[in-house]
Amino acid sequence: MNINRVLSIGLFGSLVLLLGFGLDACRQREEVQPVQVTVQLQYPSEFSEQAGEGIAVRMENTANGTVYEATSTGSGSAVFAAVLPGTYNISATISLDAAQAQRITGVFNKPVTLNAAQNDAMVNLGQTSFTLTLRGAPSGGLVIKEVYYTGSRTPSGGNYFSDQFVEIYNNSDEVIFLDGLYIADVWGVSGQINPSSQPTDFQNDPNNVYVNSVWQIPGSGQEHPLEPGKSIIIAQDGINHRTDPNGNPNSPVDLSNADWETYNERPDNRDIDSPTVPNLTRVYFTGGFDWLLTVFGPGVIIFRVDNFANLEQVTIPSSPSLQPRIKVPNSAVIDAFEALQNAESSSFKRIPVALDAGFTFATGTYTSESVRRKTATTVGDRRVLQDFNNSTQDFQLLSTPTPRRFD
């Protein structure tokens, strides 16, 4: 045999072996190793106690949806033994009964759910520990039961949003008078709507909500009672949207029997004033001819204050030419709801975690989809709706709205 040929074969074999070893080494280097992650929980400094055991902590990978769950120990720390590096939304929650709330907070003597969240947290070899502060306030009895914001398509394929509504429900076992109640939509875009979209300027303020337009239920104090387990509908336009000439035959709702509508009186009469539905009082308005909830996903709050005029009007730092927004303290908020554009929009959250630790979303715009609060239990014939102060957990997506219904 030719000695040169033997040498060539030998050299070629050695090269293949070396390449094989090299590829194996590369593969080993490319394998991502899990890390141990510690989430330290704490309560606000004004609480009587610091965070301890029993706090549920959740980490969700924003890229693939992988979820890790743990519960805090007596030191208030939750340890995740093996988490793959990546970007995560971290949330923590604990529900306290009245006695626990009194002992831990030293402030509240009613049941309360405390929440904390950190979105888009980077986990890697150099970053394996996080600290979250849980906040919250007792429920006020009234909750936002359903928000239909996506709008519908017209027969010609156009966009129709005048059929939006918000439903408010008495989740308590007592009559609640609605006189003086405020409802408002929250400032800020819902996600990466366009390349220049940025999160709200006020995202770093955990103690206040900044709202656009504000409406109020009129009354002297006891004119508008709401029985336990009953609700009211606040319509953008209180008409039968399926049959009215100004409506949309494809709309999923008839709102001609709504309790209130948000009629925006203007010199050009652009908004429709339904003769069958009474009007809310327009307190502060920053919109166009209608009270339009963004179809990409709105934030909505209901609240009470003694004197609205005393609320601060704040200039938007990134848009100083726009009307100021109204600064509502968390302590005034009775309930909050938040929807964003999609699952990847957590960095655009607008409502403080103490009021709403999560968010929900629809599959798109003008889909006729709605979001409704889940039922926790029933007491006799009265539904008690779930209220963890977390729109991710509390709400479910529906293919069509269900005003005054649960079917």
Side-chain angles (χ1 to χ4, degrees), residues 50-96:
Q50 284 304 298
E53 63 182 351
I55 301 170
V57 185
R58 187 175 189 269
M59 298 182 65
E60 180 175 356
N61 189 295
T62 61
N64 57 31
T66 299
V67 173
Y68 301 91
E69 295 181 332
T71 303
S72 67
T73 63
S75 63
S77 62
V79 178
F80 298 81
V83 176
L84 289 175
T87 303
Y88 289 83
N89 291 338
I90 307 174
S91 61
T93 186
I94 185 170
S95 294
L96 307 175

mmCIF file of all heavy atoms in Angstrom, residues 50-96:
data_model
loop_
_atom_site.group_PDB
_atom_site.id
_atom_site.type_symbol
_atom_site.label_atom_id
_atom_site.label_comp_id
_atom_site.label_asym_id
_atom_site.label_seq_id
_atom_site.Cartn_x
_atom_site.Cartn_y
_atom_site.Cartn_z
ATOM 1 N N GLN A 50 -43.124 42.333 59.083
ATOM 2 C CA GLN A 50 -42.460 42.159 57.802
ATOM 3 C C GLN A 50 -42.910 40.843 57.182
ATOM 4 O O GLN A 50 -43.435 39.972 57.873
ATOM 5 C CB GLN A 50 -40.941 42.183 57.973
ATOM 6 C CG GLN A 50 -40.399 43.588 58.184
ATOM 7 C CD GLN A 50 -40.799 44.529 57.044
ATOM 8 O OE1 GLN A 50 -40.426 44.311 55.903
ATOM 9 N NE2 GLN A 50 -41.564 45.566 57.369
ATOM 10 N N ALA A 51 -42.711 40.708 55.906
ATOM 11 C CA ALA A 51 -43.222 39.557 55.172
ATOM 12 C C ALA A 51 -42.683 38.252 55.745
ATOM 13 O O ALA A 51 -41.517 38.172 56.151
ATOM 14 C CB ALA A 51 -42.854 39.671 53.698
ATOM 15 N N GLY A 52 -43.549 37.231 55.779
ATOM 16 C CA GLY A 52 -43.153 35.940 56.301
ATOM 17 C C GLY A 52 -43.552 34.816 55.373
ATOM 18 O O GLY A 52 -43.518 34.970 54.140
ATOM 19 N N GLU A 53 -43.979 33.717 55.941
ATOM 20 C CA GLU A 53 -44.272 32.535 55.140
ATOM 21 C C GLU A 53 -45.659 32.618 54.501
ATOM 22 O O GLU A 53 -46.511 33.417 54.894
ATOM 23 C CB GLU A 53 -44.184 31.292 56.023
ATOM 24 C CG GLU A 53 -45.200 31.240 57.153
ATOM 25 C CD GLU A 53 -45.019 30.016 58.018
ATOM 26 O OE1 GLU A 53 -44.221 29.143 57.646
ATOM 27 O OE2 GLU A 53 -45.682 29.937 59.070
ATOM 28 N N GLY A 54 -45.845 31.755 53.499
ATOM 29 C CA GLY A 54 -47.159 31.594 52.898
ATOM 30 C C GLY A 54 -47.465 32.506 51.731
ATOM 31 O O GLY A 54 -48.595 32.533 51.255
ATOM 32 N N ILE A 55 -46.475 33.246 51.236
ATOM 33 C CA ILE A 55 -46.695 34.132 50.092
ATOM 34 C C ILE A 55 -46.395 33.354 48.809
ATOM 35 O O ILE A 55 -45.310 32.791 48.649
ATOM 36 C CB ILE A 55 -45.811 35.386 50.171
ATOM 37 C CG1 ILE A 55 -46.101 36.161 51.463
ATOM 38 C CG2 ILE A 55 -46.035 36.283 48.954
ATOM 39 C CD1 ILE A 55 -45.121 37.271 51.738
ATOM 40 N N ALA A 56 -47.361 33.304 47.921
ATOM 41 C CA ALA A 56 -47.201 32.564 46.665
ATOM 42 C C ALA A 56 -46.438 33.416 45.657
ATOM 43 O O ALA A 56 -46.810 34.571 45.397
ATOM 44 C CB ALA A 56 -48.560 32.174 46.099
ATOM 45 N N VAL A 57 -45.384 32.858 45.091
ATOM 46 C CA VAL A 57 -44.540 33.582 44.134
ATOM 47 C C VAL A 57 -44.511 32.805 42.822
ATOM 48 O O VAL A 57 -44.407 31.576 42.810
ATOM 49 C CB VAL A 57 -43.103 33.759 44.668
ATOM 50 C CG1 VAL A 57 -42.283 34.626 43.710
ATOM 51 C CG2 VAL A 57 -43.130 34.388 46.056
ATOM 52 N N ARG A 58 -44.608 33.535 41.748
ATOM 53 C CA ARG A 58 -44.688 32.925 40.415
ATOM 54 C C ARG A 58 -43.711 33.616 39.466
ATOM 55 O O ARG A 58 -43.623 34.845 39.455
ATOM 56 C CB ARG A 58 -46.119 33.060 39.892
ATOM 57 C CG ARG A 58 -46.444 32.347 38.593
ATOM 58 C CD ARG A 58 -47.944 32.506 38.333
ATOM 59 N NE ARG A 58 -48.414 31.700 37.224
ATOM 60 C CZ ARG A 58 -48.472 32.085 35.958
ATOM 61 N NH1 ARG A 58 -48.082 33.308 35.631
ATOM 62 N NH2 ARG A 58 -48.919 31.287 35.016
ATOM 63 N N MET A 59 -42.973 32.828 38.685
ATOM 64 C CA MET A 59 -42.079 33.359 37.660
ATOM 65 C C MET A 59 -42.513 32.788 36.314
ATOM 66 O O MET A 59 -42.603 31.561 36.160
ATOM 67 C CB MET A 59 -40.624 32.970 37.944
ATOM 68 C CG MET A 59 -40.066 33.511 39.239
ATOM 69 S SD MET A 59 -38.313 33.044 39.470
ATOM 70 C CE MET A 59 -37.539 33.923 38.087
ATOM 71 N N GLU A 60 -42.782 33.665 35.355
ATOM 72 C CA GLU A 60 -43.196 33.210 34.029
ATOM 73 C C GLU A 60 -42.229 33.734 32.978
ATOM 74 O O GLU A 60 -42.001 34.945 32.878
ATOM 75 C CB GLU A 60 -44.608 33.664 33.698
ATOM 76 C CG GLU A 60 -45.081 33.201 32.318
ATOM 77 C CD GLU A 60 -46.531 33.544 32.023
ATOM 78 O OE1 GLU A 60 -47.210 34.072 32.917
ATOM 79 O OE2 GLU A 60 -46.981 33.277 30.893
ATOM 80 N N ASN A 61 -41.665 32.828 32.201
ATOM 81 C CA ASN A 61 -40.732 33.195 31.134
ATOM 82 C C ASN A 61 -41.500 33.902 30.022
ATOM 83 O O ASN A 61 -42.481 33.369 29.497
ATOM 84 C CB ASN A 61 -40.040 31.948 30.595
ATOM 85 C CG ASN A 61 -38.915 32.275 29.647
ATOM 86 O OD1 ASN A 61 -39.140 32.817 28.568
ATOM 87 N ND2 ASN A 61 -37.696 31.941 30.036
ATOM 88 N N THR A 62 -41.075 35.105 29.678
ATOM 89 C CA THR A 62 -41.807 35.886 28.686
ATOM 90 C C THR A 62 -41.637 35.360 27.269
ATOM 91 O O THR A 62 -42.431 35.679 26.388
ATOM 92 C CB THR A 62 -41.371 37.357 28.720
ATOM 93 O OG1 THR A 62 -39.965 37.445 28.407
ATOM 94 C CG2 THR A 62 -41.612 37.980 30.084
ATOM 95 N N ALA A 63 -40.624 34.527 27.041
ATOM 96 C CA ALA A 63 -40.370 34.019 25.695
ATOM 97 C C ALA A 63 -41.143 32.746 25.396
ATOM 98 O O ALA A 63 -41.707 32.579 24.312
ATOM 99 C CB ALA A 63 -38.874 33.784 25.492
ATOM 100 N N ASN A 64 -41.184 31.831 26.368
ATOM 101 C CA ASN A 64 -41.804 30.530 26.081
ATOM 102 C C ASN A 64 -42.935 30.149 27.027
ATOM 103 O O ASN A 64 -43.524 29.077 26.899
ATOM 104 C CB ASN A 64 -40.747 29.418 26.095
ATOM 105 C CG ASN A 64 -39.993 29.350 27.423
ATOM 106 O OD1 ASN A 64 -40.528 29.659 28.476
ATOM 107 N ND2 ASN A 64 -38.724 28.937 27.359
ATOM 108 N N GLY A 65 -43.244 31.011 27.999
ATOM 109 C CA GLY A 65 -44.360 30.753 28.889
ATOM 110 C C GLY A 65 -44.098 29.778 30.018
ATOM 111 O O GLY A 65 -45.009 29.449 30.779
ATOM 112 N N THR A 66 -42.858 29.308 30.165
ATOM 113 C CA THR A 66 -42.526 28.388 31.255
ATOM 114 C C THR A 66 -42.785 29.068 32.601
ATOM 115 O O THR A 66 -42.405 30.223 32.812
ATOM 116 C CB THR A 66 -41.050 27.952 31.180
ATOM 117 O OG1 THR A 66 -40.827 27.281 29.939
ATOM 118 C CG2 THR A 66 -40.696 27.022 32.325
ATOM 119 N N VAL A 67 -43.436 28.338 33.509
ATOM 120 C CA VAL A 67 -43.803 28.897 34.808
ATOM 121 C C VAL A 67 -43.122 28.126 35.934
ATOM 122 O O VAL A 67 -43.101 26.887 35.940
ATOM 123 C CB VAL A 67 -45.333 28.853 35.005
ATOM 124 C CG1 VAL A 67 -45.711 29.265 36.426
ATOM 125 C CG2 VAL A 67 -46.026 29.764 33.993
ATOM 126 N N TYR A 68 -42.552 28.867 36.879
ATOM 127 C CA TYR A 68 -41.997 28.305 38.110
ATOM 128 C C TYR A 68 -42.790 28.886 39.273
ATOM 129 O O TYR A 68 -43.120 30.078 39.279
ATOM 130 C CB TYR A 68 -40.524 28.675 38.276
ATOM 131 C CG TYR A 68 -39.614 28.223 37.154
ATOM 132 C CD1 TYR A 68 -39.358 29.052 36.063
ATOM 133 C CD2 TYR A 68 -38.989 26.978 37.195
ATOM 134 C CE1 TYR A 68 -38.518 28.651 35.033
ATOM 135 C CE2 TYR A 68 -38.146 26.566 36.173
ATOM 136 C CZ TYR A 68 -37.912 27.405 35.098
ATOM 137 O OH TYR A 68 -37.078 27.005 34.083
ATOM 138 N N GLU A 69 -43.095 28.063 40.274
ATOM 139 C CA GLU A 69 -43.856 28.527 41.425
ATOM 140 C C GLU A 69 -43.169 28.103 42.720
ATOM 141 O O GLU A 69 -42.566 27.030 42.792
ATOM 142 C CB GLU A 69 -45.283 27.975 41.381
ATOM 143 C CG GLU A 69 -46.097 28.512 40.193
ATOM 144 C CD GLU A 69 -47.512 27.982 40.172
ATOM 145 O OE1 GLU A 69 -47.732 26.864 40.683
ATOM 146 O OE2 GLU A 69 -48.403 28.685 39.651
ATOM 147 N N ALA A 70 -43.272 28.965 43.719
ATOM 148 C CA ALA A 70 -42.694 28.666 45.030
ATOM 149 C C ALA A 70 -43.493 29.433 46.077
ATOM 150 O O ALA A 70 -44.260 30.342 45.757
ATOM 151 C CB ALA A 70 -41.221 29.053 45.078
ATOM 152 N N THR A 71 -43.292 29.057 47.343
ATOM 153 C CA THR A 71 -43.957 29.720 48.464
ATOM 154 C C THR A 71 -42.899 30.191 49.447
ATOM 155 O O THR A 71 -41.929 29.479 49.719
ATOM 156 C CB THR A 71 -44.941 28.760 49.158
ATOM 157 O OG1 THR A 71 -45.883 28.284 48.197
ATOM 158 C CG2 THR A 71 -45.696 29.463 50.270
ATOM 159 N N SER A 72 -43.102 31.378 49.984
ATOM 160 C CA SER A 72 -42.101 31.954 50.871
ATOM 161 C C SER A 72 -42.021 31.213 52.201
ATOM 162 O O SER A 72 -42.996 30.638 52.684
ATOM 163 C CB SER A 72 -42.408 33.430 51.129
ATOM 164 O OG SER A 72 -43.609 33.559 51.875
ATOM 165 N N THR A 73 -40.845 31.245 52.791
ATOM 166 C CA THR A 73 -40.601 30.663 54.109
ATOM 167 C C THR A 73 -40.827 31.732 55.172
ATOM 168 O O THR A 73 -41.229 32.856 54.882
ATOM 169 C CB THR A 73 -39.169 30.139 54.195
ATOM 170 O OG1 THR A 73 -38.258 31.259 54.037
ATOM 171 C CG2 THR A 73 -38.888 29.129 53.096
ATOM 172 N N GLY A 74 -40.537 31.383 56.423
ATOM 173 C CA GLY A 74 -40.737 32.322 57.516
ATOM 174 C C GLY A 74 -39.924 33.592 57.400
ATOM 175 O O GLY A 74 -40.279 34.629 57.973
ATOM 176 N N SER A 75 -38.829 33.547 56.668
ATOM 177 C CA SER A 75 -37.995 34.741 56.486
ATOM 178 C C SER A 75 -38.501 35.638 55.371
ATOM 179 O O SER A 75 -37.923 36.696 55.113
ATOM 180 C CB SER A 75 -36.553 34.320 56.183
ATOM 181 O OG SER A 75 -36.499 33.600 54.958
ATOM 182 N N GLY A 76 -39.562 35.192 54.688
ATOM 183 C CA GLY A 76 -40.103 35.978 53.593
ATOM 184 C C GLY A 76 -39.400 35.768 52.278
ATOM 185 O O GLY A 76 -39.596 36.539 51.335
ATOM 186 N N SER A 77 -38.591 34.716 52.175
ATOM 187 C CA SER A 77 -37.886 34.451 50.926
ATOM 188 C C SER A 77 -38.465 33.221 50.240
ATOM 189 O O SER A 77 -38.852 32.254 50.890
ATOM 190 C CB SER A 77 -36.394 34.257 51.166
ATOM 191 O OG SER A 77 -36.170 33.131 51.992
ATOM 192 N N ALA A 78 -38.542 33.284 48.916
ATOM 193 C CA ALA A 78 -38.976 32.150 48.099
ATOM 194 C C ALA A 78 -37.805 31.747 47.225
ATOM 195 O O ALA A 78 -37.224 32.589 46.521
ATOM 196 C CB ALA A 78 -40.178 32.540 47.251
ATOM 197 N N VAL A 79 -37.446 30.482 47.267
ATOM 198 C CA VAL A 79 -36.267 29.996 46.548
ATOM 199 C C VAL A 79 -36.707 29.067 45.421
ATOM 200 O O VAL A 79 -37.481 28.130 45.630
ATOM 201 C CB VAL A 79 -35.307 29.258 47.495
ATOM 202 C CG1 VAL A 79 -34.111 28.705 46.719
ATOM 203 C CG2 VAL A 79 -34.837 30.188 48.603
ATOM 204 N N PHE A 80 -36.205 29.361 44.229
ATOM 205 C CA PHE A 80 -36.432 28.524 43.055
ATOM 206 C C PHE A 80 -35.110 27.816 42.756
ATOM 207 O O PHE A 80 -34.114 28.470 42.419
ATOM 208 C CB PHE A 80 -36.864 29.369 41.864
ATOM 209 C CG PHE A 80 -38.159 30.112 42.076
ATOM 210 C CD1 PHE A 80 -38.176 31.312 42.777
ATOM 211 C CD2 PHE A 80 -39.348 29.613 41.581
ATOM 212 C CE1 PHE A 80 -39.357 32.009 42.972
ATOM 213 C CE2 PHE A 80 -40.541 30.295 41.772
ATOM 214 C CZ PHE A 80 -40.542 31.493 42.468
ATOM 215 N N ALA A 81 -35.103 26.499 42.876
ATOM 216 C CA ALA A 81 -33.840 25.751 42.826
ATOM 217 C C ALA A 81 -33.186 25.755 41.462
ATOM 218 O O ALA A 81 -31.951 25.809 41.359
ATOM 219 C CB ALA A 81 -34.079 24.310 43.280
ATOM 220 N N ALA A 82 -33.943 25.696 40.395
ATOM 221 C CA ALA A 82 -33.349 25.567 39.057
ATOM 222 C C ALA A 82 -34.183 26.324 38.032
ATOM 223 O O ALA A 82 -35.187 25.816 37.530
ATOM 224 C CB ALA A 82 -33.241 24.093 38.670
ATOM 225 N N VAL A 83 -33.755 27.530 37.732
ATOM 226 C CA VAL A 83 -34.443 28.388 36.761
ATOM 227 C C VAL A 83 -33.515 28.638 35.585
ATOM 228 O O VAL A 83 -32.366 29.050 35.759
ATOM 229 C CB VAL A 83 -34.845 29.733 37.400
ATOM 230 C CG1 VAL A 83 -35.478 30.657 36.368
ATOM 231 C CG2 VAL A 83 -35.790 29.502 38.574
ATOM 232 N N LEU A 84 -33.994 28.400 34.386
ATOM 233 C CA LEU A 84 -33.181 28.668 33.204
ATOM 234 C C LEU A 84 -33.074 30.172 32.979
ATOM 235 O O LEU A 84 -34.057 30.902 33.110
ATOM 236 C CB LEU A 84 -33.807 28.003 31.977
ATOM 237 C CG LEU A 84 -33.716 26.472 31.930
ATOM 238 C CD1 LEU A 84 -34.486 25.936 30.727
ATOM 239 C CD2 LEU A 84 -32.255 26.023 31.861
ATOM 240 N N PRO A 85 -31.887 30.680 32.677
ATOM 241 C CA PRO A 85 -31.730 32.112 32.413
ATOM 242 C C PRO A 85 -32.685 32.594 31.328
ATOM 243 O O PRO A 85 -33.012 31.859 30.394
ATOM 244 C CB PRO A 85 -30.268 32.219 31.960
ATOM 245 C CG PRO A 85 -29.591 31.071 32.646
ATOM 246 C CD PRO A 85 -30.602 29.959 32.630
ATOM 247 N N GLY A 86 -33.129 33.837 31.472
ATOM 248 C CA GLY A 86 -34.063 34.425 30.515
ATOM 249 C C GLY A 86 -34.739 35.630 31.127
ATOM 250 O O GLY A 86 -34.317 36.143 32.169
ATOM 251 N N THR A 87 -35.800 36.090 30.478
ATOM 252 C CA THR A 87 -36.565 37.231 30.953
ATOM 253 C C THR A 87 -37.872 36.730 31.553
ATOM 254 O O THR A 87 -38.597 35.954 30.923
ATOM 255 C CB THR A 87 -36.853 38.209 29.807
ATOM 256 O OG1 THR A 87 -35.617 38.621 29.213
ATOM 257 C CG2 THR A 87 -37.591 39.441 30.317
ATOM 258 N N TYR A 88 -38.188 37.208 32.762
ATOM 259 C CA TYR A 88 -39.341 36.689 33.497
ATOM 260 C C TYR A 88 -40.215 37.822 34.042
ATOM 261 O O TYR A 88 -39.718 38.906 34.377
ATOM 262 C CB TYR A 88 -38.880 35.832 34.683
ATOM 263 C CG TYR A 88 -38.285 34.510 34.271
ATOM 264 C CD1 TYR A 88 -36.947 34.411 33.887
ATOM 265 C CD2 TYR A 88 -39.061 33.353 34.246
ATOM 266 C CE1 TYR A 88 -36.396 33.199 33.494
ATOM 267 C CE2 TYR A 88 -38.521 32.131 33.860
ATOM 268 C CZ TYR A 88 -37.191 32.059 33.486
ATOM 269 O OH TYR A 88 -36.656 30.854 33.088
ATOM 270 N N ASN A 89 -41.525 37.531 34.117
ATOM 271 C CA ASN A 89 -42.441 38.338 34.902
ATOM 272 C C ASN A 89 -42.605 37.646 36.250
ATOM 273 O O ASN A 89 -43.003 36.480 36.313
ATOM 274 C CB ASN A 89 -43.797 38.467 34.211
ATOM 275 C CG ASN A 89 -43.719 39.312 32.955
ATOM 276 O OD1 ASN A 89 -42.807 40.125 32.795
ATOM 277 N ND2 ASN A 89 -44.672 39.137 32.059
ATOM 278 N N ILE A 90 -42.262 38.362 37.324
ATOM 279 C CA ILE A 90 -42.317 37.797 38.668
ATOM 280 C C ILE A 90 -43.486 38.428 39.416
ATOM 281 O O ILE A 90 -43.640 39.657 39.410
ATOM 282 C CB ILE A 90 -41.011 38.049 39.438
ATOM 283 C CG1 ILE A 90 -39.796 37.567 38.625
ATOM 284 C CG2 ILE A 90 -41.038 37.372 40.795
ATOM 285 C CD1 ILE A 90 -38.459 37.921 39.265
ATOM 286 N N SER A 91 -44.307 37.618 40.048
ATOM 287 C CA SER A 91 -45.430 38.146 40.823
ATOM 288 C C SER A 91 -45.526 37.402 42.144
ATOM 289 O O SER A 91 -45.111 36.245 42.271
ATOM 290 C CB SER A 91 -46.743 38.016 40.049
ATOM 291 O OG SER A 91 -47.041 36.665 39.754
ATOM 292 N N ALA A 92 -46.087 38.102 43.144
ATOM 293 C CA ALA A 92 -46.273 37.512 44.470
ATOM 294 C C ALA A 92 -47.619 37.953 45.004
ATOM 295 O O ALA A 92 -48.049 39.095 44.766
ATOM 296 C CB ALA A 92 -45.156 37.945 45.418
ATOM 297 N N THR A 93 -48.305 37.078 45.728
ATOM 298 C CA THR A 93 -49.621 37.424 46.261
ATOM 299 C C THR A 93 -49.909 36.654 47.537
ATOM 300 O O THR A 93 -49.434 35.517 47.713
ATOM 301 C CB THR A 93 -50.727 37.137 45.209
ATOM 302 O OG1 THR A 93 -51.981 37.609 45.698
ATOM 303 C CG2 THR A 93 -50.831 35.651 44.918
ATOM 304 N N ILE A 94 -50.667 37.272 48.422
ATOM 305 C CA ILE A 94 -51.155 36.602 49.623
ATOM 306 C C ILE A 94 -52.495 37.215 49.988
ATOM 307 O O ILE A 94 -52.680 38.436 49.929
ATOM 308 C CB ILE A 94 -50.156 36.712 50.802
ATOM 309 C CG1 ILE A 94 -50.651 35.886 51.991
ATOM 310 C CG2 ILE A 94 -49.903 38.167 51.193
ATOM 311 C CD1 ILE A 94 -49.623 35.736 53.102
ATOM 312 N N SER A 95 -53.461 36.368 50.331
ATOM 313 C CA SER A 95 -54.779 36.824 50.756
ATOM 314 C C SER A 95 -54.888 36.672 52.261
ATOM 315 O O SER A 95 -54.629 35.591 52.813
ATOM 316 C CB SER A 95 -55.885 36.016 50.062
ATOM 317 O OG SER A 95 -55.885 36.264 48.676
ATOM 318 N N LEU A 96 -55.258 37.748 52.942
ATOM 319 C CA LEU A 96 -55.340 37.769 54.400
ATOM 320 C C LEU A 96 -56.794 37.906 54.835
ATOM 321 O O LEU A 96 -57.544 38.694 54.249
ATOM 322 C CB LEU A 96 -54.532 38.943 54.963
ATOM 323 C CG LEU A 96 -53.067 39.078 54.511
ATOM 324 C CD1 LEU A 96 -52.462 40.354 55.076
ATOM 325 C CD2 LEU A 96 -52.262 37.854 54.935
#
